[in-house]
Amino acid sequence: MQQPPWQDPTSSQQQGASRPPAWPGVSPSADPAGLPPDPDGFFTPAYPQRNPGPAAPPSNAPPPYAGGVRGMPEPPPPDPSLEPPDDRMIYRAPPRRRSALTYLYLALAALIIVLVATAASQFFGKKEQGTAVVTISEQGSTFSGQALIVRNESVFQQENVSDVRYTAEEGSAVSRGDPICTVFSTGFSARELERLQSYRTQIKDYHKVLLAASTTQDNQLARLDTAVMQRAAETQSLVRGAKGNLLNQELLLKESISARHAYLKQKYIEDTKLTRLYDNENSQLQRIESWTKQFAATDNGIVSFYTDGFEGALNSATYQEYSPQAVRSMLEGKVPEIAQRPKNAMDIYRLVRQYDWGALMLADDLGWNPVVGEQYRMLIESFDSTTVSVTVESVTRSGGEMLVRLKADSAIEPILYVRAARVQLSKSVITYAVPASAVINQGGEIGVVVQYQEGPYLVPVTIVSQDATQAHVVPVNPGHLYEGLVVRIF
């Protein structure tokens, strides 16, 4: 059935017309009011005219902008009642706008999916990764505290001392039997030394008289005089800055003078006046010796004339006996009663043995677990900071204190005058890094399971440090664990 022209929007284009078709029976030159002219002088009744709608745009024209013009009101939509029915048009409801809550639900759902996927990948990844490779690492640790220096030394005391004449030099090395000093008792008077010097001056003056009265030349005496003058000139050169050992030169000069003195004593042995003067000198020496005491080295070591009162308490024979509380008391300056010297006694000197000393350290970190036999580098904080190697000998915990006894194997000179000081112990250990989950406890034995070619074996280890993810260990048996081995993860 052919549709009427007003129902077919393409009929005008098919006929090539440029305007909408006319109503049937109406002239194209219709009245602007919409009423057709009546050639008979009267109007013919007709159906009400419907709005034909907008003209169809040309085929090459862009689609009309549906948004309107900003600032101008949009035209009212056409009235559907005035539109002709069109069986080809299908009604579609406009899409509904999604609310903000809908988008929020969608975002939460996407986030949950991502988290589940990530957790699943990690879970199955761990299931797949059942082994790890051992790597080498270096661990360092430092521990500090207060320490008392302990030396292998002996202190020599004397009561009722009025004066000390030192023979050895401070800090010099001595051998057994070497003279150290001469101690004078309180009954000794300085007039006794003045009288001795008077007798020696008389002997010297009488020697000059005898030599002047001699008419024969004495070649032996001339050689001795030349030797004395030569040693004196050498000593004077050293004093002025020449290279050499002044102490040795002093000994050579004394030997030359003693040799000349002995020769003169033997040459005029029959002279009664000279003999009487020698007898007076000897008598005065014996009188002085009744008030003096000679000290000589009883062992090889280093001699020092400076003491602090702790020598009798802190030495190699007694330092193992002290508790942490006793060490704390000595750090505060209190000398144990058993080591206090008598009232009238005086420390004369101390003899210190080389390469035999240690320290009593009160650690600051009570969580530290030192192992007997461990070696550390100890820094002694003093005016001249010194670093030495020490070994842990023993450990005592008591009364909230931890006492670590340390043994050193270095020279004694750097700490010859140090008693109390702060120290720092440092240690650098070569360890092997493995995942923390690779360390297991099997029957009370800590170890890691190494995957050898022959199969898995448990290698006992000692844990140096450990956190939530990684452990640093060393093998109990050296050589059983090394870099590159594969360990199992549990």
Side-chain angles (χ1 to χ4, degrees), residues 430-451:
I430 300 299
T431 64
Y432 298 96
V434 298
S437 56
V439 181
I440 63 173
N441 187 337
Q442 182 174 340
E445 187 173 32
I446 305 298
V448 295
V449 177
V450 179
Q451 188 67 40

Side-chain angles (χ1 to χ4, degrees), residues 8 10 33 47 50 120 154 262 295 307 331 347 401 409 428:
D8 188 1
T10 62
Y47 294 103
R50 291 182 174 88
S154 302
F295 283 87
T307 61
L331 283 170
D347 293 339
E401 299 271 16
D409 58 358
S428 180

Side-chain angles (χ1 to χ4, degrees), residues 203-327:
I203 293 173
K204 182 179 179 180
D205 293 341
Y206 191 64
H207 279 162
K208 293 180 180 180
V209 173
L210 293 177
L211 291 174
S214 177
T215 57
T216 60
Q217 184 177 359
D218 192 340
N219 295 329
Q220 178 67 20
L221 182 59
R223 286 194 296 271
L224 293 173
D225 290 341
T226 302
V228 171
M229 297 303 296
Q230 183 178 355
R231 298 302 183 189
E234 293 173 355
T235 303
Q236 187 176 14
S237 299
L238 292 176
V239 172
R240 292 178 178 177
K243 294 183 179 180
N245 192 324
L246 186 59
L247 294 178
N248 291 339
Q249 187 63 35
E250 182 181 2
L251 293 177
L252 294 176
L253 179 59
K254 288 181 178 180
E255 291 176 357
S256 299
I257 294 176
S258 298
R260 181 179 182 277
H261 181 74
Y263 176 77
L264 290 175
K265 185 176 181 180
Q266 183 270 337
K267 180 178 180 179
Y268 299 106
I269 194 172
E270 297 180 357
D271 191 287
T272 56
K273 182 178 180 181
L274 185 59
T275 302
R276 187 175 63 255
L277 291 175
Y278 279 128
D279 292 340
N280 292 339
E281 181 187 20
N282 292 333
S283 299
Q284 188 63 24
L285 285 172
Q286 293 176 2
R287 182 180 179 85
I288 292 175
E289 287 179 357
S290 63
W291 287 296
T292 61
K293 182 178 180 179
Q294 303 290 332
F295 283 87
T298 58
D299 197 359
N300 300 337
I302 297 177
V303 64
S304 175
F305 305 108
Y306 296 96
T307 61
D308 58 11
F310 286 93
E311 288 79 12
L314 288 173
N315 52 63
S316 299
T318 61
Y319 80 104
Q320 290 279 4
E321 304 172 359
Y322 293 109
S323 64
Q325 290 72 29
V327 173

Side-chain angles (χ1 to χ4, degrees), residues 17 39 42 131 134 145 173 183 189 217 234 236 287 296 313 325 337 351 381 439 443 447 451 470 485-486:
F42 64 93
T131 60
V134 177
V183 179
S189 174
Q217 184 177 359
E234 293 173 355
Q236 187 176 14
R287 182 180 179 85
Q325 290 72 29
E337 295 182 0
L351 186 64
E381 300 177 358
V439 181
Q451 188 67 40
Q470 197 173 46
L485 286 178
V486 177

